[in-house]
Amino acid sequence: MGICEILHYDFVQRAILAGILIGAISSLLGVFLVLRRFSLIGDGLAHVTFGSVAVVLLIGISPFYVTLAALPIVMISSLVILKLTSTKRIQGDAAIGIVSSIGIASGIILASLSGGYNLDLFSYLFGNILTVNQTELLLAFIVFIVVAATVIFFYDDLFALTFDEELAKTMGIKTGKINTILFMLTAVAAVLAMRVAGIMLVSAMLILPPLTALQLSISFRMTIIASLIFSVLSVISGVIISFLLNLPAGGTIVIMNVVFLLLVFGVKKIPALQR
Amino acid sequence: MPVNLISIDDLTFFYNGLEILSDISFTVNKGDYLGIVGPNGSGKSTLIKNILGILKPQKGCINLFGQPLNMFRKWNKIGYLPQRLSALNTHFPSTVEEIVQMGISKSQSQKIKKALELMGIGHLATRLIGELSYGEQQRAMLARTLVGQPDLLIFDEPTTALDPETRDIFYTQIEELNRHKGTTIILVTHDTGLIGKYARHLLYLDKKIIFCGTFKDFCASADMTGFFGAISQHIICHQHDPLERKQ
């Protein structure tokens, strides 16, 4: 089966489109999170998502709306991480660890109460972008617009906050407000990324594209653009390769992200390209 | 009648139950050049962070430009250079130009160029901040502080990483801004000898105010001779700007 033939399928088109949008969302937010040493927030929120999905499946909400139904719990958890971190007595990684443990523990208990690990919960653990529905595609589009608008509109504030939060405060930037927006959007990104890569690999979607872009040693603005490009390329190539080789799409997308990271590492080693 | 830019009344700040600042009251008028000195852990940086709203005092009130701190919005009137540049992430993907541009409008590229050239790093504008030496990074941060031409400049140990030549350029520039443009300066430093050369007012802090006043008063104070010892007092006083003494 050729690439053109693959692209004729509706579900493949939907998967690629949703993947591009979710990859773009994750990579845009990921730059700010990685630089502020919140890389593992994706992992923490993904574990909360596991708990939320278990709740949703236990209640018996239609799988069609699981993503939407899981959102409020994950958004609240994201704010809890922010609140715990702002006390300064708990480091960011520890705050993520606390919320992550609660998420995974409650997920295991609730899954057990609902009669063991059913097929639906497993599909969220490992993700399946090829099953993305119209509601999720629409949600991904809306969130992409919101994230892109936020990054453009609050670019200066986000830049200053990422560079030095205290300095940003002295510039009159409402750091609390910007942090809240960033963490809320990250929660939405984590839930959406769960559909692409699965709960186990959400953090890869947030971390790998920015990390690859950071290796290029370019300006802040260009790092954001490069992160977005690497993410979109990984999603497109990942979906196509997974379809051609009959591999899980989520894992293949993440492996493609790693391939790009290794490629950039390799290119940087070429003496002629070193500064 | 002097215009009050900063007015602090009865400020007390605790951290983890420890009193870091106790009953601090003083004012800074427009055009002042105030040096804040004191030993390690005396609360100098904490005082600055309280003034800038980074930390919240348990007691007392702070007014900036005639407004209570919580009502104050014109932060572009204040330029601040923090002490802990060593915490800078060396992999932060930002050019020197992007850092200096922070907080001012994009159309002011000439100002950015001028500020960079003034600090002797015009040629480093497109380099990543993490690629520079510590001293060059500090110069970039100084350029960022100066570029917006604020009415009040607050420096917390600004010259620690600078070579003597750049340090002199910095102090000369600051003095020029203070004398000719009326920019108000607050300079936190350990260098009591150097502060005497430039600042007109001195605030000696050790959790509470030990001395606050002009250099003339400081040098003439028998209490201060008793507190610092004659030698230390002399080191601070003998470097004080002769022009200022004549005023």
Side-chain angles (χ1 to χ4, degrees), chain A residues 35 37 88-89 155-156 159-160 162-167 169-172 174 214 217-223 275, chain B residues 16 49 52-54 73 75 78 80 82 84 88-89 91-95 98-99 102-103 106 128-129 131 141 144:
Chain A
L35 287 169
R37 300 175 204 275
K88 298 212 171 182
R89 293 188 183 214
Y155 178 81
D156 289 344
F159 175 75
T162 311
F163 181 67
D164 190 309
E165 188 162 351
E166 275 191 9
L167 196 64
K169 273 186 192 172
T170 68
M171 290 162 65
K174 303 217 172 301
L214 284 170
S217 301
I218 45 181
S219 71
F220 195 75
R221 199 178 294 271
M222 290 309 292
T223 300
R275 288 190 185 212
Chain B
N16 281 349
K49 286 181 181 179
L52 293 167
I54 298 169
R73 296 286 176 273
W75 289 99
I78 301 175
Y80 167 60
R84 50 171 196 88
L88 180 83
N89 177 359
H91 298 293
F92 194 82
S94 172
T95 61
E98 281 179 312
I99 299 285
M102 229 192 303
K106 305 280 176 293
L128 291 182
I129 188 87
E131 292 174 352
M141 292 305 292
R144 189 207 72 81

Side-chain angles (χ1 to χ4, degrees), chain A residues 237-254:
Chain A
S237 55
V239 170
I240 292 171
I241 291 169
S242 71
F243 206 84
L244 287 172
L245 303 179
N246 196 24
L247 298 169
T252 314
I253 291 169
V254 172

Side-chain angles (χ1 to χ4, degrees), chain A residues 187-270:
Chain A
V188 181
V191 174
L192 288 173
M194 166 189 77
R195 297 293 284 127
V196 177
I199 287 166
M200 311 294 277
L201 297 171
V202 164
S203 59
M205 297 285 292
L206 285 164
I207 297 172
L208 288 171
L211 207 58
T212 309
L214 284 170
Q215 306 312 313
L216 297 174
S217 301
I218 45 181
S219 71
F220 195 75
R221 199 178 294 271
M222 290 309 292
T223 300
I224 293 174
I225 294 168
S227 171
L228 194 143
I229 291 170
F230 283 125
S231 188
V232 169
L233 287 177
S234 302
V235 168
I236 295 172
S237 55
V239 170
I240 292 171
I241 291 169
S242 71
F243 206 84
L244 287 172
L245 303 179
N246 196 24
L247 298 169
T252 314
I253 291 169
V254 172
I255 292 297
M256 286 313 295
N257 268 309
V258 176
V259 167
F260 282 116
L261 178 62
L262 294 175
L263 270 175
V264 172
F265 268 135
V267 169
K268 275 184 79 178
K269 294 278 177 201
I270 299 170

Side-chain angles (χ1 to χ4, degrees), chain B residues 120-201:
Chain B
I121 51 169
H123 61 292
L124 301 176
T126 56
R127 290 274 299 278
L128 291 182
I129 188 87
E131 292 174 352
L132 308 186
S133 69
Y134 186 74
E136 287 168 335
Q137 287 177 355
Q138 188 76 334
R139 288 200 233 175
M141 292 305 292
L142 284 169
R144 189 207 72 81
T145 312
L146 299 177
V147 72
Q149 296 174 333
D151 295 335
L152 169 64
L153 285 166
I154 301 176
F155 300 105
D156 192 354
E157 311 259 8
T159 57
T160 319
L162 300 183
D163 55 70
E165 194 187 340
T166 314
R167 194 183 65 179
D168 286 346
I169 292 171
F170 167 73
Y171 280 122
T172 309
Q173 178 63 25
I174 296 306
E175 198 179 25
E176 212 166 282
L177 283 171
N178 176 251
R179 283 192 192 282
H180 302 301
K181 295 199 171 172
T183 307
T184 309
I185 311 287
I186 296 179
L187 178 66
V188 175
T189 182
H190 274 298
D191 197 340
T192 44
L194 201 75
I195 197 76
K197 194 173 169 187
Y198 295 103
R200 276 194 290 280
H201 290 82

